[in-house]
Amino acid sequence: MSISLSLPRADGGVEAYALSGTPTARPASAPSFNRIAYAAAHVVSDPRRDARPWEAPAIDWERTMAFRHHLWSLGFRIAEAMDTSQRGMGLDWAGAQELIRRSLAEAKTVPGADLACGAGTDHLNPADARSLDDVIGAYEEQVAFVERHGGRAIMMASRALARIARSPDDYRKVYGRILGQAKDKVVLHWLGDMFDAQLRGYWGSQSFEPALDTVISIIEENRAKVEGIKISLLDNAYEVALRDRLPEGVLCFTGDDFNYAQLIEGDGVRYSHALLGIFDAVAPQASQALASLAAGDVARFRAVIAPTVPLSRKIFEAPTQYYKAGVVFLAWLNGHQDHFTMPAGMQSARGVVHYADVFRLADKANVLDKPELAVARMKSLMTVLGIS
């Protein structure tokens, strides 16, 4: 017997929808991949203690850590305290510090678990930055915190630096100083302004080509300290251009939640590793696909991962920065948390038709792990939002 429910359409109507997907089987043990695969992970809010969700959101640390175990069990590394955790959009530096501390400690309890942690300047109000030294000091504080707790840093793009920098040389100065001091190799992070409007003109240019020249020069000057760079511009041509110019031994991590399937597979000569927010939402499917790719079964890789791409494009549609709502929505439908609330009330950033579209595409991509639970929870959400 099929499972069905009523879902809203974009034209204002309501239609019956019958599920057709098949839940993805879990591996008996964490699989091995031939691509480095970081899943950027969300945090679980605690509505029972969330008296001021916009100002001081409460976090359910038990469920937040349990979700990291879920990702580790599927073979992923974790990109901790990144955009997907709502850094700068509900999770401040104080909350990020606790998240980093807890996750690094938790990783030590899991054989083979790995993670890298976002280090940026988000505790420095961009309007308060008066000099490049202010930005350098903010980066130094966060990188030092990560390293002091035994972690490796992902050097996040800085709103303060984007505001105060006047030339590519300003970026070279800041990145050169931080990379020169880092204990371990660092992953750089090129985040497009579709994710954060305050990062427009990053690397000292509004155009891609001169920005790319600046990035490559920074990497070449600090090659011994750069593990790789994550690029999130949602344009596969830009990523391929960067990938083709990286020095040998420096890795390209796709952050392109629109085109990740083809970028991970590669062109027969080069390929991208992955550091993706969508892996939070489609972890079982991505794990199965990556394991198939490592086994040489490219056809199976494509068959499993291809249906997740339309889902990802919907979740990351403009305004792209609100993609976190779709990620947490699926975590709720799949039983990883008991509620659909988010720090800063971010669940309200998307409308009912968006969530209905995500539900349909998740079903088609075999992402609904527990169909009966997903339907029951979707029905409850529709009722709250006035859809009968």
Side-chain angles (χ1 to χ4, degrees), residues 116-174:
C117 304
T121 67
D122 51 323
H123 63 295
L124 172 65
N125 188 323
D128 293 337
R130 297 289 179 263
S131 68
L132 293 178
D133 286 339
D134 290 339
V135 178
I136 289 169
Y139 266 129
E140 287 176 335
E141 179 179 337
Q142 294 204 12
V143 172
F145 180 87
V146 171
E147 292 181 340
R148 188 163 63 249
H149 288 83
R152 294 175 292 107
I154 300 170
M155 192 172 173
M156 300 175 70
S158 166
R159 292 172 177 173
L161 180 55
R163 175 186 172 275
I164 204 168
R166 296 292 175 263
S167 71
D169 285 339
D170 289 343
Y171 287 87
R172 292 188 186 94
K173 177 180 178 180
V174 172

Side-chain angles (χ1 to χ4, degrees), residues 305-325:
I305 206 165
T308 71
V309 174
L311 170 62
S312 186
R313 286 174 174 253
K314 170 55 65 172
I315 289 173
F316 282 78
E317 70 181 358
T320 301
Q321 66 267 32
Y322 299 136
Y323 77 87
K324 296 92 169 173

Side-chain angles (χ1 to χ4, degrees), residues 56-133:
I59 305 300
D60 183 335
W61 293 113
E62 182 177 351
R63 284 299 182 95
T64 295
M65 291 301 109
F67 193 79
R68 277 124 186 92
H69 281 272
H70 161 69
L71 294 173
W72 283 321
S73 74
L74 291 167
F76 292 102
R77 300 184 185 188
I78 291 174
E80 190 56 279
M82 300 290 292
D83 308 325
T84 307
S85 71
Q86 294 182 237
R87 281 290 288 274
M89 294 184 71
L91 186 73
D92 61 12
W93 173 230
Q97 288 179 83
E98 186 166 2
L99 176 60
I100 289 167
R101 277 197 305 266
R102 288 175 177 268
S103 292
L104 287 171
E106 199 72 20
K108 295 175 181 177
T109 71
V110 179
D114 196 4
L115 75 161
C117 304
T121 67
D122 51 323
H123 63 295
L124 172 65
N125 188 323
D128 293 337
R130 297 289 179 263
S131 68
L132 293 178
D133 286 339

